Amino acid sequence: MDFQSCFDIIGPVMVGPSSSHTAGVVSIGKFTYELLGGCQPERVRITLYDSFAQTYQGHGTDKALLGGLLGMGTEDVQIKDAIALAKEENIDYQFLLEKDHCPYYDHPNTVIIVAEVGYRRVKVGGVSLGGGLSQIFLINDAETAIRLSTEDDLRSICNRLPLYMLTNHQQEV
Amino acid sequence: MQLNSMEELLSYCETQNVSIADMMINMESEKTEKTREDIFNKMKDRLIKMQEAVESGKSDGTPAPSGISGGDALKMGEYINSGDTLSGSLITRAMRYAMATSECNARMGVIVATPTAGSAGVLPGILFSLRDNDDYSLDELTYGLFTASALGYIIANRSFVSGAAGGCQAEVGSATAMAAGVIVEVKGGTPVQAVHATAMALKSLIGLVCDPVGGLVEVPCIKRNVIGTSIAFSSADMALAGIESRIPCDEVIETMYRVGREMPRTLRETSLGGLATTPTGEEIKRKLYNR
């Protein structure tokens, strides 16, 4: 049962154009932002898989992820300007495209984000399930299954994570 | 209380003697321990966001950033005002409002995903057309959104609502199926009739592929939302006439899931097949990404 509430079906309230390619990924980006302690990353590498890799520009998946990483929510009308805003903030970002499906999670809408600020580095794997609902399946090197709706308080979810998930992994960004 | 199938939904409505909408409010209230009033008001806020998207979209003639959509809701409005349309005002207004919402979505405006952004036009289309034609209040339409969410909840949990997972049948198909049930319940039909309408609408869209030109939620998505409103009204009319779906709704949903699993990847939102790879589709894509 991925969908738990009537507001998962009638909702989210969001900027278009795609609930799975835009709204769901804003949450994954914002989750990463909260995992960095409510900070915008200085450097970020974003790997898009499968359907995401094919259609990310048209759906604004890139803007949605960067918007989330800048701390925006799904209703934020500034999401359409997120690329320009990320450049203004001097964020060193790069999108990497993998045409195949993600090795960690079998779904066409998957993304892996490696983000850094100062000495902090986090790796987050997220899947957008449709209707604005998403799930975090990887934090650093620990597999997990954290369901995110666009209404969740992502900061408090991050604050409740077990300590072993928060240890930095060694892979280079 | 858990809602796993249309059969369970109908048996709950029958034993408790409640509408589908009331059942959903009861379930939400039980799960979240919030009052019915709070839940109702939150849904009404979403209805108002939907109304704002319709209002902004129906008079906005500007193109989407891609340049490949926009301005058609305005054309539809002028056509309706001419007074000489084939379909009656219920259908034509639903078409216009669905188009307005989906065009607003393509402009990266604020919409409500119902159940997804790509299929956000169908429900506001039928709801605000019902309001214009029969003077339904916003509260009555809010009940309609609860009906929609119960039907969508079962579809989403037993099948899928993303084009990447299951094709357009999962998006516009689900939205249209929800809308058909909503119309029946808003018009005073029974829960059984509403579920038959849902089944008939979904059956009509089984197999519909997701093939967005240039990867954008514009062509053919916007017009599929528009057409979805007509299918929803036809299905609702059949159900209100006492016509039943021969295949039970739960089995139709299961079929949608099975067909989606069998659908090749090229037809599930990758833009690698269908209308996306027509000569014109390819040409649009080339122009978009060479800008």
Side-chain angles (χ1 to χ4, degrees), chain A residues 4-5 10-11 17 50 151, chain B residues 28 31 42 46 105 113 265:
Chain A
Q4 301 284 337
S5 156
I10 303 302
D50 203 339
E151 288 177 48
Chain B
E28 190 76 18
K31 269 191 178 177
K42 183 169 173 185
R46 297 204 168 179
N105 182 55
R265 185 174 155 271

Side-chain angles (χ1 to χ4, degrees), chain B residues 121-200:
Chain B
V122 184
L123 268 171
I126 61 110
L127 286 172
F128 290 103
S129 181
L130 284 168
R131 178 172 164 81
D132 275 9
N133 282 276
D134 291 339
D135 225 16
Y136 286 104
S137 67
L138 287 180
D139 282 359
E140 285 169 300
L141 300 189
T142 304
Y143 274 108
L145 286 182
F146 283 106
T147 311
S149 63
L151 299 167
Y153 181 93
I154 294 167
I155 296 170
N157 281 316
R158 288 180 71 97
S159 185
F160 21 49
V161 290
S162 98
C168 191
Q169 56 166 6
E171 296 211 19
V172 172
S174 299
T176 304
M178 288 154 59
V182 171
I183 298 166
V184 170
E185 196 152 79
V186 169
K187 293 295 275 184
T190 65
V192 171
Q193 288 175 322
V195 170
H196 277 300
T198 298
M200 289 187 278

Side-chain angles (χ1 to χ4, degrees), chain A residues 23-35:
Chain A
V25 291
V26 175
S27 301
I28 299 170
K30 180 110 187 266
F31 181 88
T32 310
Y33 167 88
E34 294 296 353
L35 205 56

Side-chain angles (χ1 to χ4, degrees), chain B residues 215-275:
Chain B
L216 303 167
V217 193
E218 293 176 52
V219 179
C221 325
I222 295 173
K223 291 185 189 102
R224 283 187 185 153
N225 274 269
V226 174
I227 304 287
T229 62
S230 307
I231 293 175
F233 278 115
S234 305
S235 306
D237 258 338
M238 281 196 279
L240 288 167
I243 297 167
E244 300 188 340
S245 171
R246 286 277 175 265
I247 309 292
C249 197
D250 286 319
E251 291 180 34
V252 175
I253 296 167
E254 167 61 28
T255 304
M256 195 250 274
Y257 182 72
R258 209 160 12 93
V259 170
R261 295 296 296 187
E262 287 170 8
M263 207 176 264
R265 185 174 155 271
T266 52
L267 301 176
R268 285 186 282 113
E269 209 173 336
T270 52
S271 295
L272 296 172
L275 294 166

Side-chain angles (χ1 to χ4, degrees), chain A residues 1-7 9-17 19 21 50 54-55 57-59 99 108 131 151, chain B residues 2-3 24 28 31 42 46 105 108-111 113 115-117 149 153 156-157 164 215-217 265 269-270 289:
Chain A
M1 303 290 277
D2 288 330
F3 297 82
Q4 301 284 337
S5 156
C6 55
F7 299 108
I9 304 297
I10 303 302
V13 181
M14 53 168 280
V15 296
S19 45
H21 289 63
D50 203 339
Q54 295 287 346
T55 62
Q57 286 170 307
H59 287 322
K99 298 281 155 76
E151 288 177 48
Chain B
Q2 192 51 273
L3 191 58
M24 193 73 215
E28 190 76 18
K31 269 191 178 177
K42 183 169 173 185
R46 297 204 168 179
N105 182 55
M108 289 188 94
V110 175
I111 54 92
T116 65
S149 63
Y153 181 93
N157 281 316
L216 303 167
V217 193
R265 185 174 155 271
E269 209 173 336
T270 52
Y289 297 115

